[in-house]
Amino acid sequence: MRFYPGYVFDLDGTLYRGAEPIPGAVEVVSELKARGAQVCYLTNNSSQTRSFFTEKLAEMGFPVTQDEISSSGLGTAALLSEWGVRSAYVVGEPGLVQTIREEGIEVVNADEDGLVHSGIVPAQAVVVGIHRSFNYPIMNGSMQCLLNGARFVATNRDSTFPLEGGRITPGAGSIVAGIATCSGQEPYVVGKPNPFLIELALRQMGLQASELLVVGDRDDTDLESGRRAGCDTHLVLTGIEKSAAPWQSFSPDLYGLL
Ligand SMILES: [Mg+2]
């Protein structure tokens, strides 16, 4: 297959499943980097920090540095910064709170450890991600912010959240839907299939869209974000999708990239 100067890899179902790297993934990514490719590890998951994903990938043997990690949480923090937002009401987990704080943005409803509370506190933006202790008072707090004119940003709209062994639980999109319903407002969605994170990766790598291959296991998120950014895309059948459309570049696993 053609060599690209840059590759964006989805994580879950593409490079690993749960705590296990997918066979061949470490070898293929290492080989592409050895040939001079730039790599971006990109996940829609907003619940963890950049250092968490760096450590997880490094422990599995992937060649990774912190600046190669991108997530919907990091993209959200970058977007808020771009918009000049200084304060955020977060519906999410400590990893998302920390990611937003690291961008220099005040989180109005969280303690030192990044645990959010449901106080009625004004903010310039409401940020919603996966939040596994979500409840009615937090929904109300976020709604009051939005009714007072805060911008509404969602890290992603994934309906479900994958666990090991093929099990699923409600995803960020389920929580976003609740807040959209009560506030009567629709969010700006940072994560895939929006091309925002791909465009951010292109800027960071200093590449043109034609020089980047977007690799993932899900057509409607991973590959759609790549297509919308004008990049070539490649599907692997190690995760969600079990077959490819006739026009789609695909391979059973990542060995197809070599
Ligand atoms: Mg995936």
Side-chain angles (χ1 to χ4, degrees):
M1 190 182 180
R2 181 193 150 188
F3 172 80
Y4 288 78
Y7 292 81
V8 165
F9 290 103
D10 169 57
L11 300 186
D12 221 301
T14 301
L15 297 186
Y16 56 66
R17 277 187 294 256
E20 292 295 318
I22 288 170
V26 170
E27 194 185 328
V28 170
V29 175
S30 302
E31 173 62 23
L32 291 170
K33 284 189 98 172
R35 293 181 191 178
Q38 294 188 69
V39 165
C40 172
Y41 301 92
L42 196 165
T43 176
N44 250 7
N45 186 335
S46 68
S47 69
Q48 302 291 353
T49 59
R50 177 171 255 162
S51 48
F52 171 90
F53 288 115
T54 309
E55 272 168 44
K56 177 167 180 171
L57 286 163
E59 269 172 29
M60 290 178 182
F62 287 97
V64 58
T65 57
Q66 286 232 20
D67 57 348
E68 292 170 326
I69 302 287
S70 178
S71 73
S72 61
L74 285 158
T76 297
L79 179 77
L80 294 177
S81 230
E82 218 174 284
W83 283 353
V85 166
R86 307 306 309 152
S87 62
Y89 189 102
V90 173
V91 179
E93 302 191 359
L96 179 59
V97 169
Q98 198 181 321
T99 300
I100 288 170
R101 281 178 172 160
E102 281 170 7
E103 190 72 32
I105 295 160
E106 182 198 358
V107 176
V108 297
N109 66 319
D111 68 13
E112 277 174 18
D113 298 325
L115 289 168
V116 299
H117 62 75
S118 56
I120 308 291
V121 204
Q124 293 176 305
V126 169
V127 172
V128 183
I130 183 83
H131 183 33
R132 282 165 283 195
S133 48
F134 180 63
N135 59 28
Y136 187 89
I138 290 177
M139 181 187 270
N140 182 40
S142 62
M143 182 182 97
Q144 300 307 328
C145 267
L146 290 170
L147 295 182
N148 278 313
R151 299 223 207 184
F152 186 8
V153 181
T155 59
N156 66 80
R157 268 203 126 136
D158 298 3
S159 54
T160 57
F161 190 85
L163 299 179
E164 288 169 49
R167 291 175 302 130
I168 53 172
T169 49
S174 313
I175 297 168
V176 171
I179 295 170
T181 301
C182 64
S183 67
Q185 297 180 26
E186 282 300 311
Y188 180 90
V189 184
V190 171
K192 302 177 270 191
N194 186 337
F196 180 81
L197 295 173
I198 304 292
E199 287 159 0
L200 200 61
L202 282 169
R203 285 207 297 275
Q204 278 164 0
M205 291 173 162
L207 296 177
Q208 303 294 315
S210 60
E211 298 174 299
L212 186 75
L213 183 68
V214 176
V215 184
D217 69 307
R218 238 188 124 127
D219 184 73
D220 64 353
T221 54
D222 302 330
L223 305 192
E224 182 61 17
S225 68
R227 288 190 289 263
R228 288 192 200 173
C231 299
D232 287 348
T233 61
H234 186 86
L235 180 73
V236 285
L237 305 181
T238 45
I240 299 275
E241 314 286 355
K242 298 301 168 207
S243 63
W247 43 265
Q248 175 67 53
S249 163
F250 82 101
S251 53
D253 52 38
L254 286 171
Y255 284 114
L257 296 182
L258 297 182

